[in-house]
Every structure is written in structure tokens, then in C-alpha cells.
Amino acid sequence: MTKYSPNEADANNGSTYTAEFLRVKGLAERGVANAQHSLGFMYFNGQGVAQSYELAVVWYRQAAQAGLEHAQYNLGVMYQKGQGVEQNFEEAAAWYRLAAEQGYAAAQYNLGWLYAKGQGVPNDTLQAMHWFSKAAEQGDAGAQNNLGMMYDTGKGVPQDFKQAIFWYRKAAEQGYARAQFNLGLRYDNGQGVPQDVGQAMSWYRKAADQGYAPAQFNLALRFDKGDGIAQDSQKAILWYRRAAEQDHASSQFNLGLIYDNGQGVPRDEQKALDWYRKAAEQGHAAAQNNLGLRYDHGQGVEQDYEQAQFWYRKAAEQGFPGAQYHLGLLYDAGHGVVVDHQEAIFWYRKAADQGHLRAQFDLGLRYETGRGVPQDYRKAMGWYRRAAEQDYVAAQYSLGLLHDNDEGPQPDCAQANHWYRKAAEQGHTQAQFALGLRYDNGMGVPQDYAQAHHWYLQAASQGHTRAQFNLGLMFLAGQGVRADAAQAWMWLTMAERGGYQTAARYLPNAASRMDPVQLAQARERVEMLPG
């Protein structure tokens, strides 16, 4: 739509506008096409007369029918937007075409958009390309940007990043914010140009300074992560806020995270909640999930399972795996919904199929125990394996246990040891003990007391009482380690205090091998230990 541009008459009073309106109206009524167009413009903007889209259409039409391309274009816009007439894309396309064929760049651009969207004309990328090219060659920045996007995505033309860059730059150098952003992206990703963070930031900044929210978000993201530039939380917050205030959902979500974690600002649960809600109400799935978590756990709000279920479902139906898993938990527990284990499994599976580790593990546990599904060890192993191969430690241990079970579907000492080790190396106490036990007894591995001692020590140091007991016996017998009665007494005492009463039977033996001074020192060391 042609937009009113301030001119010298703006400084004059209303009588000047009225006089001009009367002059133009007289010419228009005598059939002067330019005056008809100007009169339509006056009605559209309420310049010298009460604003009326309907009368604007009347006069634009008369000028358009006389062949005036500006009027044809403006009439097309009125039909496209439904201003003063019922919205009609076919009519819009017809008027745009008349102006476009006269070389009017803005009409060529708009006609290209209609072909690109299939509005009022068949969806036709070749025709869209044709009209965008016509307008772009006349210097229309929007058309240049769209032409760049078509080369960028290979839509209607062979993908060509260099041509995309060429057209983006043409538009960007005219100050077209979206092209500046797109050019920044290309420098960011090194597509069509050498990767250059400095250039990316420069183009993002140009677009951001014009208020283009996606550029503000990308600028904020760079400062937030310190990716290729110095990390600066304050600048990140500044640009996130500018975009967030334009309802940019990802910026609102990230501001929520910043206030949630107290990153560069005092931690503020209420502000975090407010930004999550703004993003969630725009359909941002991660924000919906986080809002669900707040209601689920009563964090910053009164606990409300129905609200938790509402927001989890919003995100889950968009395919957000964390929300799918949490929705499953609500169905399992009957929080905010009627208990329904089948529905819980449905959502666990949705999340698990997307790689959600806890959902994969929980599905494995379901099939292992037969809770809500027929017991099926092979399916249990399948789900455990998917999580275990992503280093989910609980799944690695559970997979080791299933392979360790002689009555299981696939007893395999080597596989049991493999998965125990994977979990043990991540600090899983039970896996460390299991691995120690296997080396101690030569189960699927050559007997190796030194390795047994190593893994018992790892588990014992984390409070595993059986490992403490076995470690005490090794120090007592000198297996895999030099015999040391004081160490034996210390570990046996810790096992007993932890509830493993068998250890008490061996304490007198250890004590008898120490003199009173050594025993006192051992007792002092135990008393100093935590717990």
C-alpha cells in the first residue's frame, strides 16, 4: 500500500488540507487519472477529509481503470487486505498484474508473493521467481531479499548460496532489515561466504538496531553463550528484552531461563514465571513445559496439577519430549488426571522414540517388571540399550543386570561386565560393587584382586556397605592389597555402622592385629569420617 509521506503541507493547518482536497476532487470528477489516484490517497489517509477506505477504493478504481499503475497497485493492496472491499486475492492478483506489466516494482513484488503463497493464483515458484526478479532488478529490496531466500533454499531454482548472498547483500545495503539478518546468518554458518563471526555480528546489529526481533535474538544468543565473542550477560539481556518486548517467543523463554538461573541478574522466580508464560501463550513448547514444571512442583506458584497437565499437554502435542514424559508421569500418579497407565505408556513411548533418556529407561523398567504391559525382557533390554548407548548410567547398570541374570533372555558375562564398567566409570555405586564382585570371583573375567579392590574402594567411598565389608576383608587377608589391619578395621566398622551386621564378626580379628595406639588411631579416623 502506498503510504503517506510527510511533506511541506504537514506543517499547515487543516484548512490547507481541505482546500487541497477540494482542488483535487474537482480535477478527479473531470476524469483526471492522477487526481483520482490522489483523491483515493486522501480518503485512505484521512487527509483533508474523513478517512474512508470505501471511497478510497472508488477513486483508486477509476484511476486504475484509466491505466494508472500506482492506482492499480493500491487497489490490489486494498483487495489483498480487505480494506474497503471484501478480501479477494484473485482481484488483488489481477490488479497487481496490470501494474506489474507496466514495470511497477512494488506490484511485481506483491504478485510474486501471491504466486509463492498460492493466493488468488496457483502456487507457482517459477512465476514467483519471475516477478521477484523483475522487481529485484529495479532495486526493490524486499524482492531482492526474497530472491536471495529462493536461491538459499533451492526453491524454484537450483540452490546457490553465492547467488543468495549476492541478492541478500543488494537488499541489506539498502537497509532492508530481514536481508541484513539473512546475510548475518550466512556469515554465521559459512554458507556462500567464509565463516566470519565479526561480519555476522555486524549484520545482525544493523538489523537489530532497526528493531528486527530475530536479529536481536541472535545477537543476544551470541553474547549469552560467548560464542566467538566475549560473553556479556548484560548485553544478552538487553537484546533479549528488546526482542521479547516485540513478542519474540524464544527471547521471552531465554529471559525466563536467565531469571530462573540468576544469570547476570538476581534470581527472580516471579519474573522467570512471567516470561515463561508470555512465551508459552505464544505456543513456545519449551516454555510450556517449564510452566508445567512450575505448577507440577509448586515452584513460584501454588501447586496445581491440572494447570501442570494443561501446559504439559500443550507442549507434548507439539512433540516436545520432556513434556511428553512429564505428562506420562502425571497419568502414572493420577495427578490432575485419572490414573491411566496405558496413557502414561503412550506418552513415555512418544518421548522415548525421540531419544528422551528417562522415558527410554522407564519403558525398559516397565517391560522388565510387567507394570502396565506384559512382561518382556527382550523389549526391556531394547529400551535400556537405547538409553545406555547415550550414556544414561541407570540404564547401563540395568542392562548389565539383565545380562547377568542366568534366567534372563540373553545371559552374557562379557556384556554384563561391559555395561557394569560403563556405569561404574560414571560413578554408579551399584555397578562399581558389581564389577568389583566379578573381579573378586573371576566371573566372566580373569580373577583379579587388584581390580576387585579398585572397584570396591570406589563403591565403598560412596557408602556402599557391602563394598565396605568386602574391602575390609581384602585388607584383612591382603588380597589385591598389602594386609593392613587398621584399614580392615576402619572399613568393617563403617559397614557395620551402615547396617551390614555381618561385619561385626570380623572386627575382633582386625582389632587383635593392632596395638592399642593403632586401634585408637583407627577409631579416631572413623569418627572423623562423614556420616
Side-chain angles (χ1 to χ4, degrees), residues 454-465:
H454 169 77
W455 289 112
Y456 284 152
L457 180 60
Q458 298 295 312
S461 298
Q462 294 191 72
H464 193 286
T465 56

Side-chain angles (χ1 to χ4, degrees), residues 153-382:
T153 59
K155 191 172 182 180
V157 288
Q159 190 175 50
D160 187 331
F161 291 133
K162 290 187 177 179
Q163 276 293 302
I165 293 293
F166 173 82
W167 288 111
Y168 285 152
R169 193 179 301 278
K170 285 276 191 185
E173 288 172 350
Q174 292 191 68
Y176 194 77
R178 189 169 183 184
Q180 292 169 334
F181 170 70
N182 286 340
L183 194 54
L185 282 177
R186 299 288 72 77
Y187 276 110
D188 222 347
N189 301 326
Q191 290 178 319
V193 287
Q195 191 173 38
D196 188 326
V197 173
Q199 280 289 306
M201 292 289 287
S202 173
W203 287 110
Y204 287 154
R205 183 62 185 261
K206 288 179 188 293
D209 284 340
Q210 293 191 69
Y212 191 65
Q216 293 170 335
F217 172 73
N218 278 23
L219 206 54
L221 206 57
R222 281 283 185 177
F223 283 119
D224 195 358
K225 307 301 180 188
D227 186 9
I229 59 168
Q231 197 274 342
D232 190 326
S233 294
Q234 295 310 309
K235 287 182 179 177
I237 292 166
L238 168 72
W239 289 110
Y240 279 143
R241 190 177 299 279
R242 288 188 182 181
E245 288 170 352
Q246 297 186 69
D247 287 333
H248 189 272
S250 292
S251 295
Q252 293 169 335
F253 172 68
N254 282 12
L255 271 180
L257 289 177
I258 283 170
Y259 280 108
D260 219 350
N261 300 322
Q263 179 190 341
V265 290
R267 189 168 183 274
D268 190 322
E269 286 189 353
Q270 189 56 52
K271 285 184 179 177
L273 186 68
D274 289 345
W275 286 115
Y276 286 150
R277 190 180 302 280
K278 285 179 184 292
E281 287 171 350
Q282 291 197 75
H284 192 286
Q288 291 169 337
N289 178 64
N290 281 18
L291 201 53
L293 283 168
R294 289 301 189 105
Y295 281 110
D296 197 349
H297 302 295
Q299 185 183 357
V301 290
E302 187 175 344
Q303 190 176 51
D304 186 330
Y305 291 127
E306 289 187 4
Q307 278 290 303
Q309 179 267 143
F310 173 82
W311 288 111
Y312 284 152
R313 188 177 302 280
K314 288 276 190 187
E317 288 173 351
Q318 291 191 70
F320 193 81
Q324 292 169 336
Y325 174 67
H326 290 125
L327 190 56
L329 290 178
L330 291 185
Y331 275 108
D332 246 349
H335 287 161
V337 290
V338 176
V339 172
D340 188 332
H341 297 309
Q342 292 307 310
E343 189 72 7
I345 290 166
F346 170 82
W347 288 111
Y348 289 152
R349 191 180 299 278
K350 287 276 191 186
D353 284 339
Q354 292 191 74
H356 191 280
L357 299 180
R358 185 60 192 270
Q360 292 171 339
F361 174 74
D362 282 7
L363 272 178
L365 197 60
R366 290 289 191 134
Y367 280 110
E368 184 180 359
T369 60
R371 182 167 172 253
V373 291
Q375 189 177 52
D376 189 323
Y377 287 125
R378 292 188 183 278
K379 285 184 178 178
M381 293 182 83

Side-chain angles (χ1 to χ4, degrees), residues 413-477:
C413 284
Q415 279 292 298
N417 289 340
H418 170 77
W419 290 112
Y420 283 152
R421 184 178 296 277
K422 287 280 190 185
E425 287 171 350
Q426 290 197 72
H428 192 283
T429 307
Q430 292 287 92
Q432 290 168 339
F433 173 71
L435 201 55
L437 202 61
R438 295 182 80 82
Y439 278 112
D440 199 354
N441 297 295
M443 297 166 60
V445 289
Q447 190 175 53
D448 187 328
Y449 290 132
Q451 279 291 303
H453 174 268
H454 169 77
W455 289 112
Y456 284 152
L457 180 60
Q458 298 295 312
S461 298
Q462 294 191 72
H464 193 286
T465 56
R466 281 286 306 278
Q468 291 168 342
F469 172 69
N470 286 9
L471 195 58
L473 292 184
M474 294 190 88
F475 274 113
L476 200 59

Side-chain angles (χ1 to χ4, degrees), residues 380-390 395 399 403 410 415 419:
M381 293 182 83
W383 285 113
Y384 282 150
R385 186 177 299 278
R386 288 176 69 171
E389 287 173 349
Q390 296 180 74
L399 197 53
H403 280 298
Q410 293 177 347
Q415 279 292 298
W419 290 112

